Amino acid sequence: MKLNPGIVTSKLKETKEFYVVKLGFQIVFENDWYILLSTPNGKHEISFLLPNLPSQHSAFQKEYSGFGMYITIETEDVDSLYSELKKKNLPFLLDLKEEEWGDRHFAISDPNGIGIDFVKYTPVSA
């Protein structure tokens, strides 16, 4: 199996620019009403779909309402990524922080209000 989360949004253009230009994602497939993107390393994908398309089942028509979802992106060099994204004037939700359980992370928001948590996991020694 392969997981590909999809978000229904009227902000397709802004979303594409954000993920491709700001975060370095790659376009896998695109048409006027759908875009499939992959992470910069090509290992994971996410898709975005315009709302209210008659060709789509009703379960895939309602636009994301801005609550109850987040994305976690694991990275080996969270400090460098933080510095790089700070220069791009993105909407930060959480500045770089080290948690007591070992995670080092920061969070931004995408054009749809989805929180994106960039994290470097570090095992806590017992």
Side-chain angles (χ1 to χ4, degrees):
M1 282 191 209
K2 182 177 180 180
L3 178 65
N4 168 359
I7 291 105
V8 180
T9 178
S10 59
K11 298 176 182 174
L12 206 57
K13 182 180 176 185
E14 300 93 325
T15 300
K16 173 186 167 184
E17 181 178 331
F18 177 84
Y19 282 89
V20 172
V21 175
K22 304 289 188 181
L23 300 184
F25 279 47
Q26 310 288 321
I27 298 170
V28 176
F29 176 82
E30 174 182 22
N31 62 25
D32 293 340
W33 48 270
Y34 176 83
I35 185 165
L36 176 62
L37 304 173
S38 71
T39 52
N41 64 10
K43 289 185 175 183
H44 304 283
E45 295 176 340
I46 188 167
S47 61
F48 299 90
L49 174 72
L50 285 177
N52 305 312
L53 294 171
S55 64
Q56 300 299 306
H57 186 278
S58 61
F60 309 116
Q61 289 191 10
K62 191 172 180 182
E63 186 166 9
Y64 172 69
S65 63
F67 300 100
M69 180 179 184
Y70 65 91
I71 299 169
T72 300
I73 299 177
E74 208 174 325
T75 180
E76 283 300 313
D77 193 352
V78 71
D79 292 84
S80 292
L81 185 58
Y82 176 77
S83 295
E84 178 186 328
L85 295 182
K86 268 299 209 186
K87 294 174 190 172
K88 295 184 179 184
N89 200 25
L90 298 174
F92 274 75
L93 301 174
L94 175 70
D95 284 320
L96 189 60
K97 178 180 181 181
E98 186 138 357
E99 301 290 357
E100 62 187 61
W101 56 85
D103 293 356
R104 187 164 173 79
H105 68 126
F106 66 92
I108 62 174
S109 178
D110 87 350
N112 306 292
I114 298 169
I116 304 172
D117 190 31
F118 293 92
V119 63
K120 176 173 179 19
Y121 294 118
T122 306
V124 177
S125 50

